[in-house]
């Protein structure tokens, strides 16, 4: 019997327009296949863990926590997502690289992706200028300011991280440009 995989991971750097792409995908699946897809936000799962432990009050504080704590919460969030994906089709909204005080934390390390076993990793990309603009315009979040050239490097590193997930799990990797 061939294995069935229920999870598509959608990733892209902050401000790339991931949420819009996900909402469109959910509508398309509903229209074309009459199927519902559960969208799970990895950050929300982590925030649930971290806020229960009294570590943070806002989701943008999580990447400032000691890395050991972030990794611990990340593992718990990954396991919670894997459990939910046993029953239904899932899109996971997450990051491949999180900018922490100690450099980039890998969002999808081996133990997380082996638990989730995604079918596909979708990497959403956009023009660095547009991303910088969108971050400035979002009053709901405490986004880190980033220069256009660092945004470009960050996006390149995300490609490498997405390919690593494919290498570890056999997932396919798809790049989508958000225009
Ligand atoms: P978001 O709302 O998608 O920007 O996620 C909020 C926060 O959740 C991020 O700033 C990270 O601190 C954390 N987060 C999201 N996905 C991951 C992940 N895969 N690994 C570690 N931290 C994550
Ligand atoms: Mg988002």
């Amino acid at each position: 019997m061939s294995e069935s995989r229920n999870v598509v991971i959608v990733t892209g750097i902050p401000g790339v327009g991931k949420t819009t792409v996900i909402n469109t995908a959910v509508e398309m699946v509903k229209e074309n296949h009459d199927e519902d897809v559960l969208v799970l936000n990895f950050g929300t799962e982590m925030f649930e863990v971290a806020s229960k432990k009294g570590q943070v009050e806002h989701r943008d504080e999580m990447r400032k926590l000691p890395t050991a704590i972030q990794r611990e919460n990340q593992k718990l969030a990954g396991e919670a997502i894997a459990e939910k994906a046993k029953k239904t089709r899932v899109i996971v909204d997450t990051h491949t690289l999180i900018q922490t005080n100690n450099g980039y934390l890998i969002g999808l390390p081996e133990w997380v992706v082996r638990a989730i076993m995604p079918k596909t990793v979708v990497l959403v990309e956009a023009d660095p200028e547009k991303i910088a603009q969108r971050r400035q315009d979002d009053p709901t979040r405490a986004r880190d300011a980033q220069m256009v050239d660092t945004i470009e490097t960050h996006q390149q590193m995300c490609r490498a991280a997405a390919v690593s997930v494919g290498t570890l799990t056999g997932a396919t990797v798809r790049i989508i440009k958000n225009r």
Side-chain angles (χ1 to χ4, degrees):
M1 206 182 80
S2 66
E3 50 148 25
S4 73
R5 295 190 182 196
N6 282 338
V7 180
V8 172
I9 294 177
V10 180
T11 177
I13 71 173
V16 83
K18 238 181 321 150
T19 311
T20 315
V21 169
I22 290 172
N23 292 343
T24 312
V26 170
E27 276 168 35
M28 278 168 66
V29 173
K30 183 79 193 161
E31 252 175 48
N32 299 339
H33 304 283
D34 194 31
E35 265 187 57
D36 290 314
V37 185
L38 178 67
V39 179
L40 295 176
N41 185 296
F42 202 106
T44 302
E45 300 284 332
M46 269 183 74
F47 181 66
E48 226 158 82
V49 173
S51 58
K52 253 184 218 152
K53 293 184 192 164
Q55 293 164 344
V56 291
E57 279 172 17
H58 190 276
R59 61 200 289 126
D60 285 317
E61 288 166 20
M62 290 196 292
R63 62 178 180 274
K64 321 276 187 210
L65 287 168
T67 25
I69 289 178
Q70 291 187 59
R71 263 196 303 270
E72 204 174 288
N73 295 345
Q74 178 188 53
K75 184 162 187 287
L76 293 172
E79 286 164 0
I81 287 171
E83 190 56 38
K84 290 181 191 175
K86 279 184 181 163
K87 287 164 233 138
T88 176
R89 272 176 205 281
V90 169
I91 290 179
V92 179
D93 175 344
T94 191
H95 303 277
T96 54
L97 301 164
I98 295 95
Q99 233 161 6
T100 76
N101 297 332
N102 288 319
Y104 287 118
L105 175 75
I106 306 300
L108 299 167
E110 190 231 335
W111 51 91
V112 168
V113 287
R114 276 206 208 281
I116 295 179
M117 284 304 262
K119 178 158 74 180
T120 302
V121 181
V122 176
L123 181 57
V124 184
E125 295 185 343
D127 286 339
E129 289 82 10
K130 295 226 176 78
I131 294 171
Q133 192 59 50
R134 218 179 273 133
R135 285 183 188 171
Q136 272 187 358
D137 294 347
D138 184 355
T140 66
R141 297 292 300 266
R143 308 270 204 208
D144 292 328
Q146 223 180 2
M147 305 299 287
V148 167
D149 60 334
T150 21
I151 291 178
E152 196 153 359
T153 308
H154 195 174
Q155 288 206 116
Q156 277 163 3
M157 286 179 68
C158 284
R159 284 191 177 190
V163 169
S164 302
V165 174
T167 306
L168 289 168
T169 62
T172 54
V173 178
R174 187 191 288 271
I175 295 176
I176 290 182
K177 290 269 176 221
N178 186 24
R179 293 178 213 280

